[in-house]
Amino acid sequence: MQGLGHTFLWKDGFEWRALRDKQFTYAVYREDKSECLFDHQNDPFQMTNLLKDANYAGILERFRAMLKSKMADLNDTFANCTWYRDHWIEDRKIMRAAKGKFNAKNNRE
């Protein structure tokens, strides 16, 4: 999952990246590098951040490694929101992705 924050305003400072599996959601925010780890099976409203709970340290490290690997695979530099405005859109249409272009039918070329 990728969040670019207030993209409709192209306002920097709200960017995030996240991964999830059947049980957990992990997210990291660009500006302050803060992280969240939620157990959405036991906490479906994501009210308790498990980041500092030692019982989840291994899960946290697994998600950190997975996100780092996925971002490297996609050549995702975790840029500011305005970078995506300047490089991924043309006439309000998404034109480029991290690993290729999208054609008019929104399929990768």
Side-chain angles (χ1 to χ4, degrees), residues 1-4 14-21 23-40 46 48-52 59-68 71 78:
M1 295 184 284
Q2 174 178 329
L4 299 177
F14 299 92
E15 302 83 8
W16 56 271
R17 299 292 184 274
L19 293 172
R20 66 175 284 155
D21 65 13
Q23 185 167 2
F24 296 99
T25 298
Y26 167 75
V28 61
Y29 293 87
R30 182 182 187 279
E31 189 166 57
D32 65 1
K33 307 292 189 255
S34 64
E35 300 170 286
C36 299
L37 179 67
F38 297 108
D39 180 340
H40 49 83
Q46 298 183 339
T48 304
N49 186 356
L50 302 170
L51 186 72
K52 296 183 183 196
I59 293 165
L60 177 61
E61 290 306 315
R62 179 172 58 92
F63 272 93
R64 283 174 174 160
M66 284 191 307
L67 185 61
K68 182 178 179 179
M71 289 175 68
F78 210 167

Side-chain angles (χ1 to χ4, degrees), residues 8 10 12 18 28 31-32 48 64 70 72 76 79 83 87 93 98 100-102 104:
F8 66 99
W10 298 110
D12 291 335
V28 61
E31 189 166 57
D32 65 1
T48 304
R64 283 174 174 160
K70 186 65 169 175
D76 182 352
W83 183 92
H87 294 89
K93 295 179 186 174
K101 293 182 179 182
F102 287 91

Side-chain angles (χ1 to χ4, degrees), residues 91-109:
D91 296 326
R92 306 283 300 165
K93 295 179 186 174
I94 295 174
M95 300 301 291
R96 288 179 287 233
K99 278 199 134 181
K101 293 182 179 182
F102 287 91
N103 65 24
K105 293 182 182 178
N106 208 22
N107 295 315
R108 271 186 202 238
E109 293 178 341

